[in-house]
């Protein structure tokens, strides 16, 4: 691998010549800007504002712009004469536990390679000291025109250095956290722990960039003129909130099934809780009973019981005549009592108590009416 910087590690009075090598590389696909009408590439020209002519790279230098807009030229010689001890040295300033480094400070990563045979012994000494102490080294170094902060740690048998942001370059997370007060239940935390334990078993080496692979497949298809863009499926945003407990339970089941090699459950199996205030009408509400019109079943049954009671009390033809009078004729007090009992049962919407009262009244009246007819005969 090609080195991008040569210098030395300053470890007290020990100096270790090293070469700086990039530990990471970008696999992202870059695009060029083109003229849409004819496909010609669009390039940026570096033009001087004073004479309007394009300036080649060899004639481009550095300058600092003052508040009034004037430019102060800065040469490489000016920067080289600055009294910075880290210009060509990675100066270790302390050793700290790795957990004290905030991951937000992590920047680019580099490998430090021993530069020459004389660097092998001190290089190995520092590497083994870092391993045994289980700490990382905090260092200062200069790269690309500025002094930087770094962290040295051991990766396999190599010393790696992570560029760190300065503490004042980390912004405070003001106004980022949710403003509303939210209470999380223990049951929800237990399900979240179970989901974390299941998903945490994945191997980092097995992860890959799906987007880059899709772009590469698209480019290969377009080159072969066999590419047909597929429309993205956009889920419509509905007025519903997913039940957090149901979603967690479904996620745990799906993750376990995926780890076991079985079919993963669909995410749509999670229950959905409607938003408060948007109630759906009942599917089947009982229809109100009709008032008036036909007599209720209870009233009809009461009338039949009344007629049977009259037949028993009167007996023979006379009882039949009395029953007829009670069933709907105008003569006799028994008929009037039967009508009042039936009307009372209809007005009370068919309640059993009113019908029973009407039946009792009708029976008593029929018994009194029968003896009077026999005496007159």
């Amino acid at each position: 691998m090609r080195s991008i910087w040569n210098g030395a590690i300053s470890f007290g009075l020990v100096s270790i010549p090293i070469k700086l090598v990039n530990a990471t590389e970008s696999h992202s696909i870059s695009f060029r800007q083109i003229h849409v009408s004819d496909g010609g590439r669009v390039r940026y020209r570096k033009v001087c504002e004073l004479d309007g002519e394009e300036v080649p790279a060899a004639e481009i230098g550095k300058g600092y712009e003052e508040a009034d807009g004037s430019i102060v030229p800065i040469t490489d010689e000016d920067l080289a004469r600055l009294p910075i001890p880290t210009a060509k040295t990675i100066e270790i300033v302390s050793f700290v536990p790795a957990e004290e480094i905030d991951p937000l400070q992590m920047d680019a990563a580099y490998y430090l390679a021993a530069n020459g045979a004389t660097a092998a012994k001190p290089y190995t000494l520092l590497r083994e000291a870092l391993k045994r102490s289980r700490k990382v080294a905090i260092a200062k170094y200069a790269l690309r025109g500025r002094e930087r902060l770094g962290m040295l740690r051991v990766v396999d048998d190599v010393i790696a250095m992570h560029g760190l942001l300065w503490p004042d370059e980390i912004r405070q997370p003001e106004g980022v956290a949710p403003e509303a007060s939210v209470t999380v239940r223990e049951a929800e935390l237990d399900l979240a722990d179970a989901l974390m334990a299941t998903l945490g078993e994945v191997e980092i080496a097995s992860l890959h960039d799906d987007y880059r692979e899709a772009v590469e497949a698209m480019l290969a298809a377009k080159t072969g003129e066999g590419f047909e863009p597929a429309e993205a499926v956009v889920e419509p945003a509905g007025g519903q909130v997913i039940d957090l407990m149901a979603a967690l339970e479904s996620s745990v089941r799906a993750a376990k099934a995926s780890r076991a090699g079985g079919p993963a459950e669909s995410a749509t199996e999670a229950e959905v809780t409607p938003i408060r205030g948007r109630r759906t009408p009942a599917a089947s509400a009982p229809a109100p009973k009709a008032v008036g019109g036909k007599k209720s079943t209870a009233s009809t049954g009461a009338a039949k019981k009344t007629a049977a009671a009259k037949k028993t009390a009167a007996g023979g033809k006379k009882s039949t005549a009395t029953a007829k009078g009670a069933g709907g004729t105008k003569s006799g007090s028994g008929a009037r009592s039967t009508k009042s009992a039936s009307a009372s049962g209809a007005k009370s919407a068919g309640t059993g108590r009113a019908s029973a009262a009407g039946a009792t009244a009708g029976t008593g009246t029929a018994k009194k009416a029968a003896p009077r007819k026999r005496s007159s005969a």
Side-chain angles (χ1 to χ4, degrees):
M1 292 184 286
R2 186 177 63 88
S3 63
I4 62 172
W5 184 88
N6 293 337
I9 299 176
S10 175
F11 179 32
L13 297 178
V14 178
S15 180
I16 310 171
I18 56 95
K19 296 183 294 185
L20 198 66
V21 179
N22 278 321
T24 62
E25 58 185 358
S26 175
H27 289 166
S28 62
I29 299 174
S30 59
F31 299 101
R32 301 292 187 183
Q33 292 186 334
I34 62 171
H35 191 193
V36 177
S37 60
D38 55 13
R41 182 177 171 183
V42 177
R43 297 179 180 272
Y44 289 101
R45 298 176 58 200
K46 296 182 179 180
V47 179
C48 178
E49 293 182 352
L50 297 179
D51 54 18
E53 295 182 359
E54 186 175 356
V55 181
E59 298 180 9
I60 297 177
K62 299 181 181 67
Y64 176 78
E65 184 176 2
E66 295 280 2
D68 57 359
S70 60
I71 302 295
V72 178
I74 303 295
T75 64
D76 293 337
E77 290 75 13
D78 295 334
L79 296 175
R81 287 195 295 265
L82 291 177
I84 300 178
T86 58
K88 282 292 183 180
T89 304
I90 299 175
E91 182 181 359
I92 295 177
V93 295
S94 66
F95 294 87
V96 299
E99 56 268 17
E100 291 188 8
I101 304 299
D102 190 344
L104 285 174
Q105 290 185 258
M106 295 289 186
D107 201 358
Y110 308 95
Y111 289 136
L112 304 182
N115 192 4
T118 57
K121 182 63 177 289
Y123 184 95
T124 305
L125 173 64
L126 176 59
R127 183 190 66 194
E128 296 303 317
L130 288 172
K131 281 184 179 180
R132 190 168 68 173
S133 67
R134 297 183 180 180
K135 294 183 177 181
V136 297
I138 302 301
K140 296 170 67 176
Y141 66 101
L143 182 65
R144 298 189 180 99
R146 54 169 296 192
E147 189 173 49
R148 304 170 187 266
L149 194 63
M151 178 191 73
L152 277 64
R153 69 185 184 97
V154 178
V155 177
D156 295 333
D157 289 332
V158 176
I159 299 175
M161 182 175 69
H162 295 269
L164 300 179
L165 299 176
W166 296 100
D168 58 356
E169 293 179 323
I170 305 297
R171 300 175 62 183
Q172 296 297 322
E174 297 178 357
V176 180
E179 297 180 359
S181 178
V182 179
T183 302
V184 180
R185 295 178 294 172
E186 289 294 330
E188 294 171 339
L189 284 174
D190 293 340
L191 284 173
D193 290 341
L195 181 58
M196 290 169 60
T198 305
L199 297 180
E201 298 174 359
V202 68
E203 295 182 1
I204 299 297
S206 65
L207 302 179
H208 57 277
D209 189 351
D210 293 328
Y211 178 79
R212 178 175 60 87
E213 292 180 358
V215 173
E216 291 175 348
M218 177 195 66
L219 293 175
K222 288 182 74 70
T223 303
E225 298 181 358
F227 175 71
E228 294 183 1
E231 295 183 1
V233 179
V234 180
E235 294 285 342
Q240 292 179 328
V241 178
I242 295 179
D243 189 337
L244 183 58
M245 288 291 291
L248 286 171
E249 291 173 352
S250 298
S251 300
V252 171
R253 289 194 299 268
K256 289 182 178 179
S258 177
R259 297 295 178 199
E265 295 184 13
S266 174
T268 58
E269 292 184 0
E271 297 179 2
V272 175
T273 303
I275 294 178
R276 293 181 180 178
R278 297 185 181 180
R279 295 181 179 177
T280 55
S284 58
K289 295 182 178 180
V291 179
K294 296 183 179 180
K295 294 181 179 180
S296 63
T297 307
S299 300
T300 306
K304 291 181 180 179
K305 290 181 180 179
T306 305
K310 291 177 181 178
K311 288 181 181 179
T312 305
K317 295 181 180 180
K318 293 181 180 181
S319 64
T320 305
T322 305
K324 288 182 179 179
T329 59
K330 295 182 180 180
S331 62
S333 60
R336 287 192 297 270
S337 299
T338 306
K339 287 183 179 180
S340 63
S342 301
S344 176
K347 288 181 181 180
S348 60
T351 59
R353 292 180 180 178
S355 301
T360 305
T363 306
T365 307
K367 289 181 178 180
K368 291 179 181 180
R372 284 199 296 271
K373 288 186 179 182
R374 283 197 295 269
S375 62
S376 61

